[in-house]
Amino acid sequence: MILKRIRLGVVTLLAVGIAGYSVVQYGFIGLDKAGMVVQKISSGEVLSDMWRIVLSIHIATSIFALVLGPFLLMDKIRHKNKLLHKRMGYVYTAGVTGGGVSGLYLAYYATGGWIAQTGFSLMAITWLVTVFFAVKSATEKKIAQHRHWTMVNYSVTFAAVTLRVWLGLFMVVFGTAHYDVYYAYTAWLSWVPNILFMIAYLQRKKKF
C-alpha cells in the first residue's frame, strides 16, 4: 500500500510539473516562443492559424486529463467522495476527447515524417478508444473493468511526460542536429512502452 502511494505520488508530481511547464511555456511565454514551435519554424515549416488554434486546444484539454488522472486513481477519493470522483471523471473524459481529436489533426503535421505521423495518429486513436471503454464500463457498473481501462488510458495520457523525458535524453546524447530523426522515434517511445507496461502490470495483478 505504501509503495503504491509512493508510485502514485511520483506520477502526480511529474504530471503536475509537466502541466505547469506547459502553462508557463505556452501560456505566459507564448505559443510561438515554445521550443517545439520554434523548432518547426526554424526547420522551414509554415504554421497556419488553424494549426496554432488546434495546438492551443490540444494543450488546454490535455492538461486537464494529465493532472486529473492520478486523482481519479486515488482510492481515498474513489471510496470516500464518489460524487467528486464522478465529476472529475467527466472533466477527464472531456480533456482526453479534446486532446485526442486535436491530436489526430496535429499528427498529420508532426515533425519527423510518416513515422512520427503514424505514431502520433495511433496514439490519439488509442487514447480515444481506451477512454470510450473506460466510460462504457462505468455506465455498465463494471467497476473493475472501468478502473483497468482508466489505468490503461492514463498510461497513454502520461505520454505528455515520457515524451519530454525521451526528448531530453536524445538531446543530451545527440544534440539538436538530428532532432527530426529522434523526434520520430519519440512518437512511439512516448506511449507504446507505457501502455505495454500497464497491460503487463494489470495481467500480473490478476494472478494474485
Side-chain angles (χ1 to χ4, degrees), residues 31-58:
L31 189 143
D32 284 329
K33 294 180 181 178
M36 182 192 72
V37 179
V38 170
Q39 186 68 37
K40 291 177 82 69
I41 293 172
S42 64
S43 64
E45 294 186 46
V46 178
L47 307 177
S48 66
D49 290 337
M50 176 59 74
W51 185 89
R52 287 178 167 83
I53 291 171
V54 175
L55 177 62
S56 298
I57 293 171
H58 180 73

Side-chain angles (χ1 to χ4, degrees), residues 75-90:
D75 293 332
K76 187 175 182 179
I77 294 177
R78 286 192 307 117
H79 296 313
K80 294 187 177 180
N81 200 329
K82 293 183 178 180
L83 180 60
L84 176 61
H85 175 79
K86 198 171 187 179
R87 287 175 175 172
M88 286 195 303
Y90 290 144

Side-chain angles (χ1 to χ4, degrees), residues 148 199-208:
H148 287 180
I199 290 171
Y201 170 76
L202 293 173
Q203 286 297 321
R204 184 176 179 275
K205 281 188 68 177
K206 286 182 181 179
K207 296 179 181 178
F208 295 93

Side-chain angles (χ1 to χ4, degrees), residues 63-171:
I63 281 174
F64 281 103
L66 182 63
V67 172
L68 286 177
F71 295 95
L72 284 173
L73 297 172
M74 289 180 180
D75 293 332
K76 187 175 182 179
I77 294 177
R78 286 192 307 117
H79 296 313
K80 294 187 177 180
N81 200 329
K82 293 183 178 180
L83 180 60
L84 176 61
H85 175 79
K86 198 171 187 179
R87 287 175 175 172
M88 286 195 303
Y90 290 144
V91 178
Y92 177 84
T93 301
V96 171
T97 303
V101 173
S102 58
L104 271 175
Y105 172 89
L106 295 171
Y108 182 78
Y109 300 95
T111 300
W114 69 269
I115 295 176
Q117 292 165 359
T118 305
F120 284 125
S121 294
L122 288 176
M123 180 172 70
I125 292 168
T126 302
W127 204 17
L128 292 168
V129 169
T130 52
V131 82
F132 168 79
F133 282 114
V135 172
K136 183 174 182 291
S137 56
T139 57
E140 294 173 350
K141 306 299 181 182
K142 297 177 180 177
I143 305 305
Q145 287 185 23
H146 168 65
R147 181 168 174 79
H148 287 180
W149 278 116
T150 302
M151 292 173 73
V152 171
N153 179 263
Y154 190 72
S155 72
V156 182
T157 305
F158 202 68
V161 175
T162 49
L163 171 71
R164 286 162 178 82
V165 171
W166 281 110
L167 277 178
L169 289 173
F170 282 131
M171 283 184 178

